[in-house]
């Protein structure tokens, strides 16, 4: 590795190590957690129900599951504390890649996800999912309707003494896909950009900008597309989800990063603090998955192809968005080092936020939450495939002579 690589290494949260142990085998860990969750739901269903019952209630509606909220905070905090928001100030130096990434993330990606998921889940795979299959999701925050009342595409029902909304199952899966499609990655993309030998500085800038833009655009686009999909649009819960799972860890990460670096130094922060914090996100994610699948075990066992029906549109969406970003980068005469992360950032999803939002909006046992988990399952193998495509097509682009990593 040359001196320029060492220079970029200092700015890379991955410290030039690429995929760590947890990240490298993420798909395997997810599969193990699926199995553990299914076993927990089958042989100890009361345990999972008790944990999900530890919630903050407003009226008769469980709004926030405390165990899940704790897990999801620790999923998000390690991601946010890595971000150096001073990098945002450097965005003006390379405005074209930044503009392209924002355009793909917020103007193209949400709507292609909606269209692809609607076609596959609502038309092509509908007979396999079940035209009459239904899902029970949380009542929208602040809504108190009588049993039997219609709300959007759903009907209010009473389930174990709690009011729930009964909706078509495929639309619940669609909601999870929507929440994935509007969540640009701010974590694993740092790994993908590094492995593709991209511009670490550009990747870091976009991570910071994506995190800030999500505070406004995630809720607006999410509510808009859920409404088009005839799903309940719980605006208050959506705002609460963004506050708890984006804004809170964002602020906590920003403040703690400043304090730790001020009192312990940047070297200690990068070599010690981040070293011990790195597995926290994955660990919290895996614990959350066990709880999610403890409720969905019966669905997986009786309809094992459900995962496949959801995975296909998610995979096609990822490849499509990568292709759009990569081709546009070529058309705009980007160097390879800027083109690779620009395409990766759009293709990769912030599945931590999607899982958190689906859980608080629709419930831990909802089809929407299951769909976001499928996003985790396909993320690593799909993105590694795209990394290889980038490296093999590197010659299509200009290559920086200074500051690049050969």
């Amino acid at each position: 590795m040359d001196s320029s690589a060492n220079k970029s290494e200092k700015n890379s949260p991955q410290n030039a190590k690429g995929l760590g142990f947890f990240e490298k085998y993420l798909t395997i860990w997810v599969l193990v957690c699926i199995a553990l969750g299914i076993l927990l739901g089958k042989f100890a269903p009361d345990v999972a129900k008790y944990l999900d019952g530890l919630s903050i209630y407003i009226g008769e509606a469980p709004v926030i599951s405390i165990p899940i909220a704790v897990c999801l905070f620790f999923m998000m905090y390690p991601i946010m504390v890595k971000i150096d928001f001073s990098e945002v100030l450097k965005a003006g130096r390379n405005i074209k890649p930044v503009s392209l990434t924002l355009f793909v993330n917020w103007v193209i990606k949400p709507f292609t996800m909606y269209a692809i998921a609607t076609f596959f889940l609502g038309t092509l795979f509908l007979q396999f999912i079940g035209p009459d299959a239904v899902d029970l999701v949380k009542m929208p925050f602040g809504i108190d309707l009588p049993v039997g009342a219609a709300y959007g595409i759903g009907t209010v029902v009473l389930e174990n003494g709690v009011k729930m909304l009964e909706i078509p199952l495929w639309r619940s899966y669609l909601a999870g896909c929507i929440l994935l499609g509007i969540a640009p990655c701010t974590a694993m993309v740092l790994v993908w950009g590094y492995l593709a030998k991209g511009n670490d500085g550009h990747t870091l800038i976009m991570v910071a900008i994506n995190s800030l833009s999500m505070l406004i655009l995630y809720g607006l686009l999410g509510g808009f597309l859920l409404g088009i999909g005839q799903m309940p649009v719980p605006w208050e819960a959506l705002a609460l989800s963004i506050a708890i799972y984006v804004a809170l860890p964002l602020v906590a990460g920003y403040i703690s990063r400043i304090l730790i670096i001020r009192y312990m130094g940047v070297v200690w922060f990068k070599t010690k603090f981040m070293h011990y914090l790195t597995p926290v996100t994955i660990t919290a994610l895996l614990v959350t998955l066990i709880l999610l699948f403890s409720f969905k075990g019966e669905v997986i066992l009786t309809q094992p192809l459900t995962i496949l029906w959801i995975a296909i549109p998610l995979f096609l969406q990822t490849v499509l968005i990568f292709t759009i970003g990569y081709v546009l980068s070529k058309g705009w005469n980007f160097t390879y080092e800027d083109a690779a992360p620009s395409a990766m950032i759009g293709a990769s999803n912030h599945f931590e936020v999607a899982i958190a939002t689906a859980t608080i909006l629709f419930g831990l046992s909802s089809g929407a939450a299951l769909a976001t988990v499928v996003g985790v399952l396909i993320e690593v193998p799909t993105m590694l495939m795209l990394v290889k495509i980038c490296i093999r097509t590197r010659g299509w682009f200009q290559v920086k002579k200074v500051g690049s990593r050969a």
Side-chain angles (χ1 to χ4, degrees):
M1 184 178 293
D2 59 23
S3 60
S4 61
N6 291 331
K7 183 177 179 180
S8 65
E9 176 187 34
K10 291 166 61 179
N11 296 322
S12 173
Q14 300 305 321
N15 290 328
K17 294 180 180 178
L19 285 176
F21 179 75
F22 276 96
E23 294 90 345
K24 184 176 181 180
Y25 299 104
L26 180 58
T27 300
I28 294 176
W29 306 140
V30 170
L31 290 172
V32 170
C33 287
I34 289 175
L36 291 176
I38 291 173
L39 292 174
L40 178 64
K42 185 175 181 62
F43 296 106
D46 292 339
V47 174
K49 291 180 180 178
Y50 170 76
L51 290 174
D52 191 42
L54 297 175
S55 301
I56 298 174
Y57 284 76
I58 295 181
E60 299 177 353
V63 178
I64 299 175
S65 170
I66 296 174
I68 294 299
V70 172
C71 286
L72 294 177
F73 175 82
F74 283 105
M75 280 167 52
M76 295 302 303
Y77 172 76
I79 296 168
M80 298 304 186
V81 79
K82 292 178 181 180
I83 300 172
D84 181 1
F85 286 99
S86 64
E87 294 289 334
V88 177
L89 300 176
K90 302 176 183 178
R93 301 177 185 175
N94 209 0
I95 194 66
K96 285 174 63 177
V98 172
S99 300
L100 174 63
T101 304
L102 289 175
F103 175 73
V104 171
N105 279 345
W106 298 110
V107 179
I108 296 178
K109 182 178 179 180
F111 301 97
T112 55
M113 181 75 268
Y114 177 85
I116 292 172
T118 299
F119 172 70
F120 279 92
L121 300 176
T123 303
L124 197 61
F125 297 154
L126 185 58
Q127 292 301 317
F128 301 110
I129 295 173
D132 300 320
V134 296
D135 191 25
L136 296 177
V137 301
K138 285 182 178 181
M139 285 289 294
F141 181 62
I143 300 295
D144 186 16
L145 297 173
V147 174
Y151 185 80
I153 198 66
T155 303
V156 180
V157 298
L158 197 64
E159 181 74 11
N160 296 325
V162 178
K163 288 183 180 179
M164 304 287 285
L165 198 62
E166 186 180 80
I167 63 173
L169 180 58
W170 78 267
R171 290 191 182 275
S172 188
Y173 294 153
L174 171 64
C177 292
I178 289 173
L179 294 175
L180 273 171
I182 59 173
C185 188
T186 63
M188 291 293 286
V189 70
L190 296 168
V191 178
W192 312 136
Y194 175 80
L195 292 178
K197 303 183 185 298
N199 181 344
D200 290 332
H202 171 56
T203 308
L204 285 167
I205 289 171
M206 286 315 307
V207 163
I209 291 177
N210 277 340
S211 297
L212 294 174
S213 60
M214 283 181 68
L215 292 173
I216 299 175
L217 296 177
Y218 189 76
L220 292 176
L221 279 172
F224 175 71
L225 290 173
L226 288 174
I228 292 178
Q230 296 181 291
M231 289 290 293
V233 184
W235 288 104
E236 294 88 348
L238 195 53
L240 183 62
S241 175
I242 294 169
I244 293 176
Y245 301 123
V246 180
L248 180 61
L250 187 68
V251 172
Y254 175 74
I255 294 174
S256 59
R257 178 187 177 93
I258 291 175
L259 293 176
I260 292 170
I261 291 177
R262 178 182 299 172
Y263 292 105
M264 301 301 295
V266 68
V267 174
W268 188 89
F269 173 80
K270 290 184 176 181
T271 60
K272 299 293 184 181
F273 183 72
M274 292 311 304
H275 172 72
Y276 291 112
L277 199 60
T278 296
V280 171
T281 291
I282 303 298
T283 302
L285 170 64
L286 297 180
V287 172
T288 304
L289 295 185
I290 292 175
L291 291 175
L292 286 170
F293 277 94
S294 68
F295 283 94
K296 284 298 178 182
E298 183 178 351
V299 174
I300 303 301
L301 292 175
T302 58
Q303 303 176 46
L305 290 178
T306 296
I307 300 296
L308 179 63
W309 309 141
I310 301 172
I312 289 175
L314 291 179
F315 172 78
L316 293 176
Q317 160 76 358
T318 301
V319 174
L320 173 64
I321 293 301
F322 168 81
T323 302
I324 291 173
Y326 211 47
V327 170
L328 289 177
S329 296
K330 173 66 174 175
W332 283 14
N333 296 317
F334 287 7
T335 62
Y336 169 80
E337 287 77 10
D338 285 341
S342 293
M344 293 287 181
I345 290 170
S348 186
N349 295 315
H350 200 326
F351 50 76
E352 296 90 349
V353 165
I355 290 172
T357 306
T359 300
I360 196 172
L361 294 189
F362 303 109
L364 185 62
S365 59
S366 66
L370 176 63
T372 60
V373 172
V374 176
V376 183
L377 191 63
I378 69 170
E379 172 85 4
V380 173
T382 303
M383 293 308 298
L384 286 176
M385 177 192 76
L386 297 179
V387 165
K388 292 180 180 178
I389 290 175
C390 282
I391 292 175
R392 290 177 181 175
T393 57
R394 191 176 184 181
W396 294 0
F397 297 85
Q398 306 173 50
V399 179
K400 286 184 179 179
K401 301 300 181 181
V402 179
S404 64
R405 281 175 291 151

